[in-house]
Amino acid sequence: MDPGFSAEQDGIRRTLRELLHKRCGPEDLRAALDTPRGHDPVLWAALAEQLGLPGLALPEAYGGVGCPVTDLALAAEETGRALAPSPLLATSVLAAPLILALGTDAQRADLLPRICAGTLTAALAVPAPALATALALTGPQGGDWAGGGRAGGIQARRVQGVWRLYGEAAQVLDGHSAGALVVAAHTGGFVRSRTLLFVVAGDAVGLVRTRQTALDATRPQARVQLRDVRAELLGTEDTGVPEALSRTGDFAAAFLACEAVGAADRALERTVEHLGRREQFGRVIGSFQAVQHQLADVYVQIQAARSAAYYAAWAADGPGGPGGSDGHRERVGGLALGQALEALRHAAAEGIQLHGGIGFHLGARGASVLQAGRRRRAAVRARAPASGARGRGSPALRADGGVGVIGVRAVQKVSSTRAFAKVAPHVVPALDRAVHRLTRGKVLLSAQLLPGAILTSTGARSGLPRRAPLACMPEEDGGSWILIGSNFGRTGHPAWTGNLLAHPDAEISWRGKDIPVRAVLLTGEERAAVWKALLTFWPPYATYQARVDREIRLFRLTPRT
């Protein structure tokens, strides 16, 4: 292994850093994340045209640059510094190597040139949460992770010589916008059970894709549903799918390790810049020895992680790696990734600590922060019911600071725990029904924490009235409500959501009044906008969503006329 960089590698890094510095500032980043794709297509086109980044590690015969995969890992360090959202990981690290390794000559000639040109993005669809297992990052690839037997996952069957896929994959990176999907599916039943890879066009009939809310907004994810979708087998039935996935996974881990090192390095860099400007006790903070020791510890940890990440990328390019031939190889990508993520966590934690106190400055910026806080408290008051179900003077929902804010935060923290999720479904509804009945509909106990209502729906199976106390979010117009099927972050959808899907006409008890309503399930951009408002309204919903593969159902209730 040569630890030095060539002039070409230095040039790639320098050009990429300059381009991302110009096109990936904080405002540009926020604007890109709010687009339907989750990234800036103009930036992606520039990366393809100026640097050939999508095809950096692909052969020149297909329009690529023909560089070793280590160059792509070095590029990842720069994208990590900028936290640049792009389909690079999904397209060039996960999907393209599989097409190159397993695809037929015709498939390579059709897909790879368009990937290199930046006109086609691709994604790897594996049933959640099995991606790490499929890529052999967490252990052996054993088990029916693609959907063994006849249930679950994604199934493939051949009908009159045509492959058909049916099933579902969640948490597919860039799956909502990719022009082509590489889908892992189970076939052969119990007798010839095996996993094969298929290529599915982004506009295929029966393909349903929904963007999901992700904790990391720079990594957009999607739920992909395949409803008897026509697919093309990638390569032949005799191709070594497990081996190809394992090789791809090892380099993907090295790629992510380099990306984490870049992010950690930038966090340290910004912290040092701040400590060189900030003064306290008549001198800059960075001159204090204790602070210097903290920075030195972070620096050493980042350098060690960088060395491990570079070595992992080099090892992945050796025998058996994405750019090498089959044979013995070192699998060190997972170890490098673990070390890099720990370095990033440490750099971020120390950076937050050493930036401490700047949010309390009462200059012009401080005044704007206080004004923003007042506007937010006014919005909270506007959403809160004046009386009735919420009760008067509830300390948990006071928005005027002091104990009220602390109470809200404490409740949010408790309601995000797994222990609360286990106990609450059995305790909260029973108490709600009892108190609501005793007070003749005037008080709802859970409404002391969140706005609440009693929903009366028609059972999907029984046809009988079903009552359920639920948290809700009144909308700003005051004439509609949002119901959230979080089920406290448990696996299945709550029963009342199935009732509303079968019988949209229902009734809610709101502030002591019974109101006939009609329910509509929110989807697409409309759901995304409401979900964003919900996370501001009650942040624990993000924790609930992160625990489950299903997409939490949101309903809008409007009065029936």
Side-chain angles (χ1 to χ4, degrees), residues 251-328:
F251 175 67
F255 179 93
L256 291 172
C258 288
E259 190 179 65
V261 166
D265 190 57
R266 181 57 179 149
L268 176 61
E269 186 178 290
R270 295 191 63 176
T271 302
V272 172
E273 290 173 357
H274 169 71
L275 297 178
R277 295 190 305 263
R278 173 80 173 182
E279 293 187 4
Q280 191 62 272
F281 306 111
R283 54 192 288 195
V284 294
I285 297 177
S287 64
F288 290 101
Q289 190 176 40
V291 173
Q292 293 174 357
H293 287 168
Q294 288 179 268
L295 295 175
D297 289 341
V298 174
Y299 176 80
V300 170
Q301 191 170 9
I302 291 175
Q303 293 304 316
R306 176 178 280 117
S307 297
Y310 287 173
Y311 182 79
W314 173 81
D317 200 26
S325 59
D326 290 337
H328 175 72

Side-chain angles (χ1 to χ4, degrees), residues 367-390:
S368 65
V369 170
L370 290 177
Q371 290 172 2
R374 294 190 186 101
R375 288 195 296 269
R376 181 169 180 176
R377 289 195 294 270
V380 172
R381 290 193 192 99
R383 288 197 299 264
S387 60
R390 181 171 302 286

